[in-house]
Amino acid sequence: MPNVQIDIRQQYPHVIEIGIIDAVHKALKEAFQLPETDRDVRLVVHEPHRFSVPSHLLQPELFTVICIDCFTGRSLDTKRYLYRLIVEKLNHFLIPSDHIKIILRESALENWGIRGGQAACDVDLGFQVNL
């Protein structure tokens, strides 16, 4: 049940934007072993003057930030696998590896209100968090 926001500095054709969303979702689904229906991914396009980036980037317009909010519990190996998968899948869209930043923020289950206002720790999520 991760919540994902992808921030980019340029608008792509719709098919590419959908592909970027799908690529991040597929990486998350595979690494975290989530059900297909567990999908909460947003793509936000920023005007370049409103999104400053590291000055050393050769193609600053391709800088991509992915923020993932999720439940605490995944192992470091699982997180490493997720980061690697995301970068591999975004390389298909010619986004250089060093132009991708992934931020993973973890919260305890009791800090998420889901399914009609229930604490996530009180709900059968349908997947394992401790991977």
Side-chain angles (χ1 to χ4, degrees):
M1 171 155 309
N3 186 315
V4 181
Q5 181 168 316
I6 305 164
D7 293 284
I8 57 176
R9 298 185 79 227
Q10 70 173 352
Q11 190 163 9
Y12 293 94
H14 288 164
V15 68
I16 300 297
E17 291 183 349
I18 291 167
I20 290 170
I21 290 169
D22 287 345
V24 172
H25 171 70
K26 287 175 183 173
L28 201 52
K29 181 179 161 254
E30 182 177 335
F32 283 10
Q33 299 177 16
L34 301 172
E36 178 61 37
T37 56
D38 192 346
R39 187 179 181 106
D40 186 354
V41 183
R42 294 172 318 283
L43 180 84
V44 179
V45 180
H46 299 274
E47 298 273 340
H49 70 280
R50 293 183 179 152
F51 188 171
S52 103
V53 301
S55 60
H56 71 279
L57 298 179
L58 297 177
Q59 296 175 283
E61 70 280 1
L62 298 179
F63 188 64
T64 303
V65 177
I66 301 153
C67 294
I68 303 167
D69 290 289
C70 64
F71 301 137
T72 301
R74 273 79 180 199
S75 70
L76 179 55
D77 285 341
T78 297
K79 294 172 191 177
R80 286 178 176 139
Y81 182 52
L82 171 65
Y83 306 149
R84 191 171 57 251
L85 277 177
I86 289 173
V87 168
E88 286 173 9
K89 291 182 183 301
L90 291 182
N91 279 194
H92 294 287
F93 299 96
L94 305 178
I95 301 171
S97 300
D98 67 341
H99 287 46
I100 300 168
K101 180 190 284 185
I102 303 163
I103 302 164
L104 186 69
R105 298 180 292 220
E106 297 178 295
S107 302
L109 285 134
E110 64 264 19
N111 294 331
W112 288 61
I114 61 172
R115 299 186 189 160
Q118 300 177 73
C121 59
D122 297 332
V123 173
D124 177 10
L125 300 171
F127 59 87
Q128 293 293 321
V129 176
N130 298 317
L131 301 173

